């Protein structure tokens, strides 16, 4: 895995980057100490906090060139999240499933970056299901499809990313806007292109209605389109590489870095012929 790059778009440049990283790692280490004290309730929120800490420490040690330590950190993050999801799954409802998307997605990326691709695929499968309100994957439809329609595009893009990582580009159901002016999505059989159009439509409605839509989500769509075109034998790697660079330039601060950069690393590891050839 390539050593961590300082994002060119980072506000304040390398000097500010180094200062921000040091501050964040100090906070994460303090949080880790608090969260692992004896007697702390074993809640979903505590698990999310632990996973975030271990995941962040993995990025830090990767940046320092300490690959074995980084892999150990990411392994810990993936293991904690996987155990929480498996433990809570029997009681999970369609309405609550989207609350587990962040945990499953982060764990999937952690598993991938630590070299545990089979576990990563399991966790991407959970992410894909939870992001559309499905729990077991055997349901015909979520209890309330409209309730999981996210007008920031985040949930739909989490699902799309997971499906691409699982190699599933068609043969599933999803919420689709039947035309460009529609305000209501319907649950129908579709493919990855239908979901990408849904993500674009959700973001357009969200921006129109004053919702906060991140540039990273808008820049992720052309990247995923370019990658899908290659997987379908219709696109050029150069286009995907350009889209990846544009996506990486969405990183402006530390929050953006921890959300975006792991995706960059994961794509480079999962599709080396496209992004690192």
């Amino acid at each position: 895995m390539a050593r961590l790059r300082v994002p060119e778009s980072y506000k304040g440049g390398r000097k500010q980057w180094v200062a921000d990283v040091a501050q964040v790692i100090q906070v994460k280490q303090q949080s880790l100490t608090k969260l692992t004290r004896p007697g702390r309730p074993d809640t979903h929120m505590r698990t999310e906090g632990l996973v975030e800490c271990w995941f962040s420490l993995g990025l830090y040690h990767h940046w320092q060139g300490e690959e074995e330590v980084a892999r150990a950190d990411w392994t810990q993050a993936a293991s904690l999240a996987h155990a929480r999801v498996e433990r809570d799954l029997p009681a999970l409802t369609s309405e609550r499933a989207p609350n587990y998307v962040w945990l499953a997605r982060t764990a999937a990326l952690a598993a991938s970056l630590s070299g545990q691709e089979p576990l990563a695929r399991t966790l991407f499968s959970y992410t894909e299901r939870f992001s559309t309100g499905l729990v077991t994957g055997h349901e015909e439809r979520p209890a309330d499809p409209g309730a999981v329609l996210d007008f920031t595009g985040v949930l739909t893009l989490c699902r799309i990313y997971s499906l691409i990582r699982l190699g599933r580009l068609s043969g599933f159901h999803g919420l689709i806007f039947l035309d460009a002016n529609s305000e209501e999505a319907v649950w129908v059989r579709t493919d990855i292109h239908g979901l990408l159009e849904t993500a674009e439509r959700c973001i357009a409605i969200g921006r129109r209605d004053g919702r906060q839509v991140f540039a990273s989500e808008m820049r992720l769509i052309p990247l995923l389109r370019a990658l899908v075109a290659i997987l379908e034998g219709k696109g050029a790697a150069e286009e995907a590489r350009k889209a990846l660079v544009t996506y990486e330039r969405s990183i402006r601060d530390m929050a953006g870095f921890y959300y975006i950069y792991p995706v960059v690393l994961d794509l480079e590891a999962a599709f080396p012929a496209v992004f690192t050839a």
Side-chain angles (χ1 to χ4, degrees):
M1 189 185 299
R3 187 152 179 193
L4 191 63
R5 302 181 291 271
V6 177
E8 295 178 3
S9 54
Y10 200 85
K11 289 183 178 179
R14 182 180 179 85
K15 184 176 181 180
Q16 186 61 49
W17 158 264
V18 172
D20 288 350
V21 166
Q23 182 179 15
V24 167
I25 292 307
Q26 182 180 22
V27 170
K28 297 303 181 186
Q29 289 172 331
Q30 291 171 348
S31 297
L32 195 60
T33 300
K34 293 177 182 178
L35 290 167
T36 53
R37 284 175 183 166
R40 289 293 297 261
D42 186 18
T43 62
H44 177 94
M45 186 175 294
R46 175 178 178 269
T47 300
E48 284 192 336
L50 287 169
V51 169
E52 183 178 341
C53 288
W54 285 115
F55 192 79
S56 301
L57 288 169
L59 284 173
Y60 172 71
H61 288 124
H62 171 63
W63 180 52
Q64 297 283 28
E66 301 172 5
E67 292 298 334
E68 289 189 13
V69 181
R71 283 194 294 271
D73 293 336
W74 286 325
T75 297
Q76 183 75 351
S79 177
L80 284 168
H82 184 216
R84 168 59 65 183
V85 170
E86 292 285 355
R87 189 183 318 151
D88 293 355
L89 193 60
L92 198 59
T93 64
S94 178
E95 292 78 11
R96 292 182 59 233
N99 296 335
Y100 282 72
V101 169
W102 181 89
L103 189 64
R105 173 189 179 274
T106 303
L109 291 171
S112 171
L113 296 179
S114 59
Q116 302 177 85
E117 185 60 22
L119 178 57
R121 291 180 64 83
T122 296
L123 290 160
F124 276 124
S125 180
Y126 282 139
T127 305
E128 187 270 322
R129 281 163 22 202
F130 296 161
S131 62
T132 195
L134 300 178
V135 178
T136 67
H138 301 300
E139 305 98 324
E140 291 186 3
R141 56 189 286 134
D144 182 4
V148 295
L149 196 60
D150 170 29
F151 288 101
T152 65
V154 172
L155 286 179
T156 303
L157 287 169
C158 280
R159 186 184 186 201
I160 293 168
Y161 188 91
S162 298
L163 286 166
I164 290 172
R165 283 291 274 107
L166 293 167
R168 294 177 58 200
L169 303 184
S170 62
F172 44 79
H173 284 72
L175 287 166
I176 300 298
F177 294 94
L178 296 181
D179 62 68
N181 298 315
S182 177
E183 295 285 321
E184 186 175 346
V186 294
W187 183 258
V188 297
R189 191 170 182 82
T190 187
D191 59 16
I192 205 75
H193 299 285
L195 292 183
L196 283 163
E197 290 170 6
T198 293
E200 287 185 321
R201 180 66 179 142
C202 283
I203 288 174
I205 293 173
R207 295 183 71 189
R208 182 200 68 190
D209 294 346
R211 291 182 174 89
Q212 184 177 23
V213 178
F214 295 103
S216 58
E217 307 307 319
M218 292 185 283
R219 291 179 179 178
L220 182 57
I221 292 175
L223 169 57
L224 297 181
R225 282 194 186 281
L227 181 54
V228 167
I230 291 170
L231 297 176
E232 293 179 332
K234 302 174 183 177
E238 184 61 28
E239 291 302 313
R241 292 190 194 110
K242 288 179 181 178
L244 185 68
V245 170
T246 300
Y247 177 64
E248 186 177 337
R249 285 175 179 165
S250 301
I251 300 173
R252 304 288 291 164
D253 53 26
M254 197 53 60
F257 167 73
Y258 280 105
Y259 185 77
I260 296 167
Y261 207 86
V263 173
V264 174
L265 293 177
D266 180 58
L267 288 175
E268 289 178 341
F271 303 101
V274 176
F275 295 112
T276 62

